[in-house]
Amino acid sequence: GRNDKINSAMFVGGPEALISTIWENYHIPLDHYVQVDFAQFKQLVDVVDGVKVYFDTPARDTNTGLAVEEPGCVTLTGDQALAYARSRYYQYYDERSDSWIYDETSDLGRISRQQDFIKRALSRAVDKGVRNPFTLNQLVNTGLDAVVLDDGFNAADLIALGTRFRAFDPNKLETYSLPVYLDSVGDASIVRLIESESEPILELFRGVGPADLQPAEVGVRVLNGTGRPSEGANTGDALAELGFDVAGVGDADPQDHTRTLVRFAPSHRSGAELLVRYLEAGADLVEDPEITDGLVEVVTGLDYT
C-alpha cells in the first residue's frame, strides 16, 4: 500500500513480501530463495578457505573496514570479504598523486564488485573439488549452516543442482545490471528504473529470450576488424539478407582482431545473442555501456566466416 526502496520489503514482511513485490512490479516469478546474512556470508567464504581477488592498487573503505595495503592477488577471508562486498565508499590509492581516490560509482560499483566476487567464489569452490560428487556433498552440507532456505528447498536439491552444473565454467556466468538514474525522495537518495531500456533484461528473467526476437527487430552496425577487402560490406549484406536491420558498415580500429566480437549495450543483450546464433564461427559477446545508439555492433575477426 505504499512506495519505498525495494529492499525495504524484506524488513516489512520478510522474503515473502520481497518475492511478492518483485512479482507485482516486474512479473518475475521466483520459485525458491536462499537467504544469507552478514555472519553467514563470512561463514560461506571460510567454508572454501577464502576467495582470491586481484587488486591493482591498495584499496580501503573506512566504513566497512576493508584494508588492502599491497596490490596483487589477495585471499580474502570472511571478515575482509564481507568488508569488500559491502563497500559503498570504496577508495583506491593513486601513486601519482599520492592520495586516496573515491570510486564515484557508489552502489553500482558495489554491484559490479559483488558480481565479480560471486564468480571468484564459484571458481574457488571448483578449486576445492566441487566437481567431485563427494566433495560437493561435503561443501553443501557444511555450507547449509551458513544459509536459510525456503521450505520447498533442501540439501538434496542443492546437490542435484550442483551435479547438473558440474561442468559449468564460473567465468561464463552472465550477470546483469538494470539501467537506472539517480533521484531523491525527501532526504533519501534513490535510483529509478529506466523502464524502456530495462525491459530486454527483465524479459530474460520472465523466461522470454532471444528465441522470441526476430532479426528485423535488431539494429546492427558492422565493422571490418581484419582489413580483408570488402569484408564489412559483404557481412552487412549477408546479415541484411537474413532480415537484420543493418544500419551501418565501416572499419574497426585497429584491424587486428583474431576473434569476432559482438558488442552491445546492457539493455540489448537478447539481440546480440540472437545475432551470434547466425554466425557460423560464433563470436565473443562483449557488453559495452558506451554503445548508446541502440545498435548491436559486429566486429569481424580472422575466425569470421
Side-chain angles (χ1 to χ4, degrees):
R2 62 186 176 89
N3 293 319
D4 207 330
K5 290 187 176 183
I6 193 168
N7 58 339
S8 67
M10 190 74 179
F11 299 99
V12 171
E16 290 76 15
L18 179 57
I19 289 169
S20 173
T21 299
I22 292 171
W23 170 252
E24 289 181 15
N25 285 276
Y26 307 116
H27 299 291
I28 294 173
L30 298 176
D31 301 304
H32 298 287
Y33 68 82
V34 180
Q35 183 178 331
V36 186
D37 67 20
F38 292 157
Q40 292 166 336
F41 176 88
K42 292 193 292 185
Q43 193 174 340
L44 277 174
V45 172
D46 288 335
V47 163
V48 293
D49 296 329
V51 174
K52 294 180 179 180
V53 176
Y54 179 78
F55 295 87
D56 53 7
T57 68
R60 71 182 187 186
D61 185 327
T62 55
N63 289 271
T64 65
L66 175 68
V68 178
E69 297 179 355
E70 297 290 338
C73 191
V74 179
T75 300
L76 298 180
T77 57
D79 287 323
Q80 280 293 289
L82 180 62
Y84 177 70
R86 292 185 64 201
S87 176
R88 289 181 64 198
Y89 303 97
Y90 187 86
Q91 293 177 286
Y92 60 92
Y93 181 71
D94 181 55
E95 197 172 53
R96 289 172 298 180
S97 62
D98 190 25
S99 61
W100 289 93
I101 309 295
Y102 274 103
D103 173 14
E104 296 181 356
T105 56
S106 187
D107 282 333
L108 300 180
R110 176 170 62 175
I111 290 171
S112 178
R113 288 190 292 273
Q114 288 172 344
Q115 291 175 335
D116 177 69
F117 186 86
I118 288 170
K119 292 181 182 181
R120 293 177 183 276
L122 286 170
S123 294
R124 183 65 167 168
V126 170
D127 292 342
K128 296 290 289 182
V130 75
R131 300 199 197 281
N132 179 292
F134 178 75
T135 306
L136 171 65
N137 196 357
Q138 282 187 315
L139 279 173
V140 167
N141 282 294
T142 304
L144 278 177
D145 293 335
V147 298
V148 176
L149 305 180
D150 67 72
D151 293 338
F153 211 35
N154 56 40
D157 295 322
L158 286 175
I159 291 169
L161 278 172
T163 302
R164 181 179 174 186
F165 288 94
R166 185 168 54 202
F168 179 69
D169 179 359
N171 292 315
K172 293 184 178 179
L173 176 68
E174 294 185 11
T175 58
Y176 301 87
S177 297
L178 291 169
V180 295
Y181 63 93
L182 293 174
D183 198 1
S184 60
V185 176
D187 295 331
S189 174
I190 65 171
V191 294
R192 293 192 187 275
L193 207 60
I194 303 175
E195 295 189 9
S196 61
E197 295 183 19
S198 299
E199 276 303 300
I201 297 175
L202 294 173
E203 289 282 78
L204 292 173
F205 291 92
R206 295 172 185 142
V208 180
D212 301 281
L213 272 180
Q214 297 301 316
E217 300 174 69
V218 182
V220 180
R221 174 171 48 249
V222 179
L223 299 179
N224 184 339
T226 66
R228 293 184 291 213
S230 304
E231 185 166 78
N234 292 339
T235 302
D237 290 343
L239 290 173
E241 285 182 24
L242 291 167
F244 287 95
D245 180 13
V246 179
V249 175
D251 292 325
D253 183 20
Q255 293 188 318
D256 60 356
H257 291 266
T258 56
R259 177 70 172 152
T260 299
L261 306 178
V262 173
R263 296 194 180 109
F264 59 94
S267 58
H268 289 79
R269 176 178 286 270
S270 294
E273 291 176 346
L274 176 66
L275 192 148
V276 169
R277 289 164 52 193
Y278 284 89
L279 301 181
E280 189 171 311
D284 287 342
L285 286 165
V286 180
E287 187 173 299
D288 187 349
E290 294 187 5
I291 297 178
T292 58
D293 55 8
L295 299 179
V296 173
E297 189 173 271
V298 181
V299 181
T300 59
L302 292 174
D303 64 336
Y304 174 79
T305 55

